[in-house]
Amino acid sequence: MRRLTVKALFAAVLLAAAMPAAPAIADAQTSGYIVLLKDGVSVPSVTNLAGVTVDNLYQSAVRGYSARMTAATAARLARDSRIALVQPDGVASIAAQTLPTGIDRIDAEKSPTAKINGTDERVNVDVAVIDTGVDLDHPDLNVYTAGAKNCSTGRSADDGNGHGTHVSGTIGALDNGSGVVGVAPGARIWPVRVLNNQGSGSFSAIICGIDYVTAHASEIEVANMSLGGSGSDSACGSNKDAMHEAICRSVSAGVTYVVAAGNSAANSSTFVPATYEEVITVSALADFNGQPGGGAASTCRADVDDTFADFSNYGADVDIIAPGVCILSTWKGGGYNTISGTSMASPHVAGAAALYKATHPSASPSAVKSALQSAGTTNWNSATDPDGTHERLLNVASF
Ligand SMILES: [Ca+2]
Ligand SMILES: [Ca+2]
Ligand SMILES: [Ca+2]
Ligand SMILES: [Ca+2]
């Protein structure tokens, strides 16, 4: 009996960014103020005042405190000779929405369907993320929680790893002016958890996920599988590989499957699902600035701008290449993270397939694959591509 497991495909966690905490809500009569003291005035001496509720004391960078109080109290404090400043509190958030380099490199910001302009419009499409789960309440994702399915450990399809949430953000993070933005902003993300919190899962769990997606093939346009294990190709209907048979039927039901080529710097022919003919297999491009032409300095890991990523699998099973190095996206717990892998390349293509299906709802999975390849460019440096095939680089400017 084979006891193979499949692992999420990513190289390393390299940079974590935190969201600011939500501001406290003041009651109706009072609001927040920041109070700074003049030199020589001790902090406690002016905090013990009626009508002032102190939240924070400041003693190092500045001297003073933050507090809730009425406007009348604030005005009275401002006239106090010991006080240097009374200032209404404000709210800060990350300054603006970041256009991740991969989204830029494939020209999603030029897509008339993606409509990336800082206004939350949402592409009307459903994408299943067969992965570690998805952060079910991430503020930068449109998670379709009613469609969540857990085929792995734990009590729900919530993401205990981060990988599935990262994949989801590249596919469809909201164009809401904060955080990041995906290829198909606001696409409904169906969390299908088949990998555990360590990023591993059995073939049986993955088939559970494919089975679920197939049961909803009339609703789900695209499925992303940024995972892989050992195996080989076989003909649909030959009954040599249960996972392949499941994907064959799911694709026949109309779902476009996009999968990672793998991170072993090897030929994809010995990796499943990458080697299956019916899926769209994605290799990874190193790009550090979102622009063609090369020459950008490496950022989160060493590689060469606009070349084949040094970890990416290759070979005849690869259908298209997309950015997969130092990709910023959403993360579990409402956060963001920058990681690398063909896991990060695949969801760029899944998002592109979603854009295409949003405007070509009757396109078959093979027609989607052809459209993606035809729209791709050769505008990347294939000198380090290990095989002889210069696969097209994803481009969705016309989608
Ligand atoms: Ca928009
Ligand atoms: Ca956003
Ligand atoms: Ca570049
Ligand atoms: Ca190649």
Side-chain angles (χ1 to χ4, degrees):
M1 185 177 75
R2 292 196 305 173
R3 293 183 60 85
L4 296 171
T5 61
V6 177
K7 289 188 185 302
L9 297 173
F10 64 100
V13 175
L14 294 141
L15 173 69
M19 289 288 285
I25 298 168
D27 65 39
Q29 286 76 39
T30 65
S31 57
Y33 290 86
I34 298 165
V35 178
L36 299 187
L37 308 180
K38 288 184 177 169
D39 289 346
V41 178
S42 70
V43 171
S45 70
V46 290
T47 58
N48 189 20
L49 298 171
V52 175
T53 306
V54 173
D55 295 319
N56 299 289
L57 289 175
Y58 308 130
Q59 314 222 48
S60 300
V62 291
R63 295 177 57 262
Y65 57 90
S66 66
R68 280 165 288 130
M69 64 189 84
T70 64
T73 303
R76 178 165 53 83
L77 265 186
R79 294 192 296 271
D80 190 309
S81 62
R82 298 168 296 177
I83 303 293
L85 173 69
V86 179
Q87 175 188 335
D89 203 354
V91 176
S93 59
I94 49 179
Q97 181 171 274
T98 299
L99 183 70
T101 53
I103 307 299
D104 192 8
R105 190 67 177 81
I106 68 167
D107 290 340
E109 82 283 8
K110 297 177 181 171
S111 161
T113 306
K115 294 195 182 89
I116 295 176
N117 56 7
T119 300
D120 184 6
E121 287 141 302
R122 307 196 178 189
V123 179
N124 182 20
V125 67
D126 296 84
V127 182
V129 173
I130 302 174
D131 210 290
T132 58
V134 178
D135 183 0
L136 298 176
D137 57 0
H138 198 294
D140 213 2
L141 293 174
N142 182 17
V143 181
Y144 183 56
T145 52
K149 174 70 173 178
N150 182 20
C151 296
S152 183
T153 56
R155 286 169 296 182
S156 77
D158 201 8
D159 185 4
N161 178 283
H163 186 268
T165 303
H166 196 278
V167 164
S168 299
T170 296
I171 293 168
L174 298 175
D175 185 25
N176 56 359
S178 66
V180 294
V181 64
V183 179
R188 284 180 295 277
I189 301 293
W190 292 54
V192 181
R193 176 171 153 91
V194 300
L195 305 177
N196 63 21
N197 291 354
Q198 289 70 49
S200 296
S202 61
F203 282 23
S204 57
I206 292 164
I207 293 167
C208 165
I210 298 166
D211 198 50
Y212 177 76
V213 169
T214 309
H216 294 275
S218 63
E219 301 159 88
I220 296 170
E221 281 83 7
V222 179
N224 186 85
M225 296 179 74
S226 287
L227 51 80
S230 296
S232 58
D233 204 1
S234 57
C236 289
S238 64
N239 286 328
K240 289 178 176 166
D241 174 354
M243 182 160 74
H244 193 187
E245 297 297 340
I247 286 183
C248 289
R249 283 164 184 74
S250 206
V251 171
S252 291
V255 181
T256 297
Y257 276 74
V258 183
V259 313
N263 298 338
S264 302
N267 194 302
S268 285
S269 61
T270 58
F271 295 83
V272 293
T275 190
Y276 300 155
E277 186 57 32
E278 298 73 25
V279 302
I280 300 174
T281 303
V282 186
S283 58
L285 180 80
D287 168 70
F288 296 108
N289 63 351
Q291 302 300 317
S298 61
T299 53
C300 80
R301 72 185 296 278
D303 212 320
V304 178
D305 188 39
D306 285 286
T307 67
F308 198 87
D310 56 13
F311 54 76
S312 180
N313 284 358
Y314 52 84
D317 291 311
V318 171
D319 297 299
I320 198 163
I321 190 169
V325 176
C326 301
I327 302 299
L328 172 67
S329 187
T330 46
W331 198 247
K332 66 176 178 174
Y336 296 87
N337 201 356
T338 298
I339 57 176
S340 301
T342 54
S343 277
M344 285 66 245
S346 180
H348 285 91
V349 178
L355 284 180
Y356 190 77
K357 284 289 284 187
T359 52
H360 303 79
S362 62
S364 68
S366 64
V368 173
K369 184 192 285 194
S370 296
L372 292 170
Q373 291 176 315
S374 298
T377 77
T378 55
N379 194 9
W380 63 280
N381 181 353
S382 63
T384 59
D385 184 346
D387 61 38
T389 307
H390 189 190
E391 61 266 38
R392 295 288 185 97
L393 171 64
L394 181 69
N395 190 283
V396 299
S398 65
F399 279 16

